Amino acid sequence: MNDSKTAILIDSGCDISMELVKKYDIKMLSLKVMYGDDVFDDGVDIDPLEVYRKFPDEVPKTSTPNMQDVLDVVESIRAEGYENIIAITISSGLSGTYNTIRMTFNEIEDMKTYAFDTKNISIGSGLFAIWAARQLEEGRGFDEVVAGLEHKIGDSKVFFYMDTLDYLRKGGRINPAVAIVGKALNLKPIISCNDKGVYYTVAKIRGTHKGLNKLFNSAMEYAEDGGKVMIGLMNGAATETAAEVKPMILEALPDCEIVVEKQITATMAIHTGPGLIGIGIFKL
């Protein structure tokens, strides 16, 4: 436990590796994956690769935690001796998790709490949590870390290359007609979140090779001068492709720190499909 007795709470959509969750004692609230009446905790008891194996015949639904789920986590955090909680969530523009946590926190009077809407998704959100946990580890207090998060809201961004538009269409994220045309023309989308925390298309490139190059270039442009940054390198059933992208990042950003390399969590896999590569950039 850090000196300020402040816990970092994330939702599973932040896509942090379990190694980092354990290292920084980060608490996690799981999103839900539902196959009919069977409900699984994202990041805990469902393998993302199993989701891919069941595609396209079975595409599960997802749901957000409820207020009781949040209260249960808060009680467990309190029982460990923490006195403050900073919750870091995926974008309120893509999930109801932030609002559920915020409303629950409003009912808690005996702890200092703060809910941070990252306006981001996956590791674009998770990098905020890693940064905040390190700030606490270095001795900064609750108020200082909260102020720092608000100041750095524009310093994290994730870019995703997707091999297919089908799952964005099934999840209601894009217009069906756009997906059909994209598939016919072999267009590969590069997706990110805008400043409102909503998906937007950075580019649509014809062909896989050009699409991956555009992904890399978009991420490097965001990193700007090649200064010190944290990187998250994500994949959706595409570990070999991610391994090809990694040396390109290290060559372009020799001072970067790749803090996360992993398969995206099941809830992200459901909405994006196989063949995804994601690069998250956090400016330090």
Side-chain angles (χ1 to χ4, degrees):
M1 183 182 297
N2 51 66
D3 291 341
S4 70
K5 296 185 177 180
T6 299
I8 299 295
L9 172 65
I10 62 170
D11 64 68
S12 60
C14 289
D15 240 340
I16 296 177
S17 66
M18 291 309 298
E19 290 79 8
L20 289 174
V21 166
K22 293 175 181 177
K23 178 179 180 179
Y24 294 115
D25 196 25
I26 293 171
K27 312 305 179 183
M28 188 172 74
L29 187 66
S30 289
L31 305 178
K32 306 297 181 182
V33 177
M34 299 173 294
Y35 283 96
D37 294 332
D38 295 327
V39 181
F40 301 92
D41 286 336
D42 185 35
V44 177
D45 56 11
I46 183 167
D47 182 354
L49 296 180
E50 183 64 22
V51 173
Y52 294 120
R53 285 191 284 269
K54 291 182 177 181
F55 283 162
D57 296 330
E58 293 185 80
V59 179
K61 296 181 179 179
T62 62
S63 70
T64 59
N66 58 41
M67 292 182 70
Q68 187 60 54
D69 293 327
V70 179
L71 285 171
D72 290 344
V73 171
V74 169
E75 287 305 314
S76 68
I77 291 172
R78 181 188 283 111
E80 290 185 31
Y82 285 101
E83 298 175 357
N84 317 303
I85 305 175
I86 296 174
I88 294 173
T89 75
I90 59 175
S91 173
S92 62
L94 299 170
S95 167
T97 307
Y98 165 75
N99 285 322
T100 300
I101 292 176
R102 179 182 56 81
M103 289 188 294
T104 307
F105 279 2
N106 287 340
E107 303 300 316
I108 298 170
E109 299 179 351
D110 60 341
M111 301 179 77
K112 291 177 70 174
T113 59
Y114 171 74
F116 180 62
D117 181 358
T118 65
K119 305 293 185 184
N120 232 300
I121 193 73
S122 184
I123 198 60
S125 301
L127 290 170
F128 280 108
I130 296 168
W131 178 86
R134 289 180 173 183
Q135 295 296 300
L136 292 170
E137 194 174 63
E138 292 171 6
R140 293 173 180 83
F142 174 90
D143 292 333
E144 193 173 0
V145 175
V146 166
L149 286 168
E150 293 178 349
H151 177 72
K152 295 191 73 65
I153 186 65
D155 288 344
S156 184
K157 197 171 183 70
V158 64
F159 298 87
F160 287 113
Y161 160 86
M162 296 182 191
D163 198 48
T164 175
L165 292 163
D166 289 346
Y167 295 92
L168 281 178
R169 175 183 60 79
K170 291 177 182 178
R173 306 297 184 182
I174 61 171
N175 186 292
V178 172
I180 292 170
V181 172
K183 188 173 184 178
L185 296 178
N186 193 29
L187 296 178
K188 309 296 183 179
I190 311 299
I191 303 292
S192 187
C193 292
N194 61 22
D195 57 6
K196 295 182 179 179
V198 177
Y199 283 138
Y200 77 100
T201 303
V202 177
K204 293 178 185 175
I205 309 298
R206 183 172 294 179
T208 300
H209 180 71
K210 289 182 178 178
L212 289 169
N213 281 338
K214 180 61 179 178
L215 168 75
F216 173 76
N217 291 333
S218 297
M220 295 308 103
E221 286 172 12
Y222 178 75
E224 295 180 340
D225 59 5
K228 187 67 175 175
V229 295
M230 286 196 297
I231 301 285
L233 180 56
M234 317 300 288
N235 79 87
T239 53
E240 292 182 1
T241 305
E244 294 173 6
V245 173
K246 181 177 180 178
M248 297 166 59
I249 295 172
L250 292 173
E251 181 178 357
L253 301 171
D255 293 328
C256 78
E257 178 189 6
I258 299 180
V259 294
V260 179
E261 297 178 74
K262 67 183 287 288
Q263 158 71 44
I264 58 172
T265 193
T267 48
M268 278 294 299
I270 291 163
H271 294 296
T272 57
L276 172 144
I277 297 294
I279 303 174
I281 306 279
F282 189 94
K283 299 177 183 178
L284 296 170

